[in-house]
Structure formats: C-alpha cells, structure tokens
Amino acid sequence: KENRTYDQIFGDDRKGDGDTTNLFFPKAISPNHHALADRFGLFDRFFVNAEVSPDGHNWTTAAYATDYLEKTVPSHYSMPSRGRSYDYEGTNRGAIPDDDAAEPASGYLWNLAEKKGITYRNYGEFVSPAPRASPNDPVTYRGNKPFLASHTNPRYPGFELTIRDQHRMDVYLAELREFIASGQLPALETVRLPNDHTSGLMANRASPRAAFADNDLALGRMIEALSKSPFWKNTVVFVLEDDAQNGADHVDSHRSPMFVISAYNKPGTIHRFANTTDVLRTIEEILGLESMSQFDHFGRPLRDIWSDSPDLRPYSALPAGWSLDEMNPRGTSGARESAKLDLEVEDAADEDLFNRILWRAIKGRDVPYPGPTRASALELKIGG
C-alpha cells in the first residue's frame, strides 16, 4: 500500500500508542483496517525502512536500496524538478532495460521464489502497460523483470490512481476463484493496493476520504475471500506501506500501519519494534527462502505472534465507510495546488506540498501543520 503513517489511520485506537491530532482516516472511514487490527493484532511499533517510493518499493521487495538509487533519488525529488525519470521499479527512462542500474545484486523476493522453485504470482508490482496493437485493444500490464513477465496477472493495474482498488480486487478475486477451482494457490503472491496514497485535492479525482475508503474496502474484500477459501488454514497475509512519505506521526514519521493476518494470529496490541526487513525475514523463514541482503538476513522474524491452534472463522468485510463516488471539486485553492503535483508515477510529487495539501483538506487551514517527526534510536529502544 502507499504512504500512510500509523497515526493517520490508528490515531483513534486507544489500544495502541496513537494520537488523534494526526488522525486522517478514523474508524468511520477505515472500518476494515480497524476491524482487522482488532481481530488479528495491532502493531504500534512498525517502521518502514524507506523515505519515499523509489527506495520503498525496493526495501519492500529486495530488502535493499542500491547506491545508484540512493544517489539519484534526491535529484528526482528536487524542486524545481530536474527532469529525472522514475527509474526504480524495473524501468529506466520509461523503458525496460537489458541492464537495470537500480537492481540489487541479489535480486528481489520473486527471484528467491524462482531459485527455490516455488509457485509465485504478481499483481501490480513492478509493472508497466503492455504495448497495444490497436488503440481499441484493452490495456494490459507486463512485469518489468524477466521472471515477473511470466508470473504477472496481465489485467491487474499498477500505480494508476484513476483506477479504483475495487477494480484491482475484482481482478484478484476472479483469479482466486480459478485457484480455488483447481485446488492450487501460489505459494507466494505480491499484491498492490495503492489508492490510500490519494490524489490530494486534484479536481475530478476521488476525494482523499473516498480514495481511502476504496482502499479499505478492497483490503477487507481480499481478506474475506481468502478466509472463506480452502487455503485459509495455510495462508498468512502481510500488509504494509512501502513508505510513510514523511507524514505526520507523533512517534516518528517512519511509523506506519502493518498487519499480519492469518488463522494463527493472536489478537491484542504488539508493542515490539519491527521494520520492513523483519517482515521480509518472516516471509523468508516461513517459505524456506534465502535472504537478499544483510538487512533481512539479520532481521528479527515475528515468531512470537502466533497461537498454537487456528481460529478458522471467516472474516466478513465491512461496507465502505464513505462514498466512493465523492470527487474533488474544481476551482478550489486545493485543486489549484494539487494541479502542481505529478501523480502519474509513484511519489513524483513534492512530498512536503502534498502532505500540506492533505493536512489542510482534512484538518482545515487553521490547524498548524506539524511536519515530520524523528524519534531517537534510544527512544525506540526504550519504547520498543
């Protein structure tokens, strides 16, 4: 998922360390996020490894951000823009290269699956629109890496924020029904649900609340379908943001919502420190995969969250907490500000301006914008 902090979603949950001052999408708008946290555990000390999407998608899929990435991202985000393309999800200057400068030497999570010989399916991660023979042909998507090309659902979109997460989930669930019919589910899947990113107040786009409600319902539908499938007793879903985009959070602007969802999860609040590479280490340990970098190799698997016996009750998705049809109006100051944002690719927009637009849209212009928060390592050690 894309770019939310813990406080922005769970600031109203008194079972965890939240602050309503920074709350964007309360329980009324995010009913499934809150219901899933109630049943499967509330992690209030999860921190993303990344700052923005370029390193976020690489930390999440490769447990590493390369030297090339770290050196070029600042110019990609500089304002005014220096015109650098988004080269961090398998493309360079908009094309799929033979030699990708941003690719980590050890590859990605799907390369571990390939090496292990386990089945894998990708939905929307590291994809680009496929070439079309005719403008009338439907848009399809291809994986930007060789192994992804043959393991990607071609109907599942990537980042495009004009496409609802409901459509993404329709595509995912259609293929899940095929897997149920065949009795075989891939051992590893990556699924992208990006619309909690929102389009700010860009005119004729989904409002921030509508975009998040769309994302919330899609996540709920996914867990409902899996929990009602014959695969539920052997399935675990890890849900995390690629980055938190320096959003407002009273602990640290890297703190982000995270879920571990399975029949074996213990309910309650989990206060232990965890980060992106700890999640990857947990996935690798479950599937018997090798590590990709020193960061996941030395990651701390989430071994202490499981119960000995499963709770096989299915989850029932809650209805959307906000109208998915609510659109941003034209002609407002927020629409004019949002028109300056590049929302065509992941996080190409000025992150400070984008966060301020969202803050004013939800909190009002009279509430001071807090800016990013940085916790010290000592605070994390004591608090975690």
Side-chain angles (χ1 to χ4, degrees), residues 4 26 90 97 129 257 268 279 286 290 327:
R4 299 277 65 88
V279 172
I286 290 171
E290 297 178 4
M327 307 294 283

Side-chain angles (χ1 to χ4, degrees), residues 7-227:
D7 275 349
Q8 288 174 349
I9 300 173
F10 289 119
D12 59 344
D13 193 325
R14 296 185 178 182
K15 296 185 297 299
D17 182 12
D19 185 348
T20 56
T21 302
N22 301 315
L23 181 65
F24 276 10
F25 306 110
K27 184 176 181 179
I29 298 171
S30 56
N32 286 289
H33 282 69
H34 282 74
L36 290 168
D38 285 343
R39 175 167 171 186
F40 298 103
L42 177 67
F43 290 81
D44 68 355
R45 281 297 181 273
F46 171 75
F47 300 84
V48 294
N49 287 57
E51 302 294 333
V52 289
S53 275
D55 56 331
H57 284 270
N58 282 271
W59 276 112
T60 308
T61 60
Y64 193 70
T66 63
D67 184 65
Y68 171 85
L69 186 153
E70 295 288 3
K71 287 180 176 177
T72 58
V73 163
S75 61
H76 177 71
Y77 277 79
S78 63
M79 294 296 158
S81 173
R82 301 182 194 178
R84 176 172 287 277
S85 58
Y86 184 88
D87 292 348
Y88 312 107
E89 289 184 45
T91 60
N92 291 162
R93 294 172 175 81
I96 300 175
D98 293 330
D99 184 12
D100 182 3
E103 179 172 340
S106 297
Y108 303 88
L109 192 58
W110 48 82
N111 297 123
L112 295 187
E114 179 184 22
K115 186 175 181 179
K116 182 73 174 180
I118 63 175
T119 51
Y120 171 73
R121 195 65 167 161
N122 177 49
Y123 301 88
E125 184 68 3
F126 276 63
V127 300
S128 300
R132 290 187 289 172
S134 165
N136 296 324
D137 290 345
V139 176
T140 58
Y141 302 85
R142 60 178 178 177
N144 293 336
K145 295 292 179 183
F147 186 68
L148 282 186
S150 58
H151 292 79
T152 291
N153 186 308
R155 296 185 297 115
Y156 197 97
F159 177 74
E160 296 94 326
L161 297 178
T162 57
I163 300 173
R164 283 185 177 177
D165 281 345
Q166 299 313 302
H167 171 70
R168 292 180 173 87
M169 195 45 51
D170 289 343
V171 174
Y172 176 83
L173 295 181
E175 189 159 71
L176 177 61
R177 288 190 288 271
E178 295 177 12
F179 291 140
I180 292 172
S182 68
Q184 297 290 327
L185 184 70
L188 175 65
E189 295 181 341
T190 48
V191 185
R192 188 177 197 166
L193 291 173
N195 282 7
D196 60 332
H197 180 284
T198 84
S199 297
L201 293 180
M202 188 171 286
N204 297 326
R205 294 280 190 96
S207 72
R209 291 181 177 90
F212 194 90
D214 175 34
N215 181 263
D216 177 81
L217 178 58
L219 177 61
R221 291 176 61 200
M222 180 184 184
I223 302 306
E224 176 177 358
L226 288 169
S227 69

Side-chain angles (χ1 to χ4, degrees), residues 215-276:
N215 181 263
D216 177 81
L217 178 58
L219 177 61
R221 291 176 61 200
M222 180 184 184
I223 302 306
E224 176 177 358
L226 288 169
S227 69
K228 292 180 178 179
S229 78
F231 310 117
W232 177 233
K233 64 181 181 298
N234 297 317
T235 297
V236 56
V237 183
F238 298 87
V239 184
L240 59 158
E241 311 283 330
D242 67 317
D243 67 274
Q245 196 68 46
N246 278 325
D249 187 275
H250 81 282
V251 173
D252 187 277
S253 290
H254 295 86
R255 193 172 66 134
S256 189
M258 190 265 282
F259 300 90
V260 183
I261 299 170
S262 80
Y264 286 87
N265 273 79
K266 298 176 184 176
T269 304
I270 298 94
H271 296 296
R272 64 151 276 189
F273 173 90
N275 63 10
T276 306

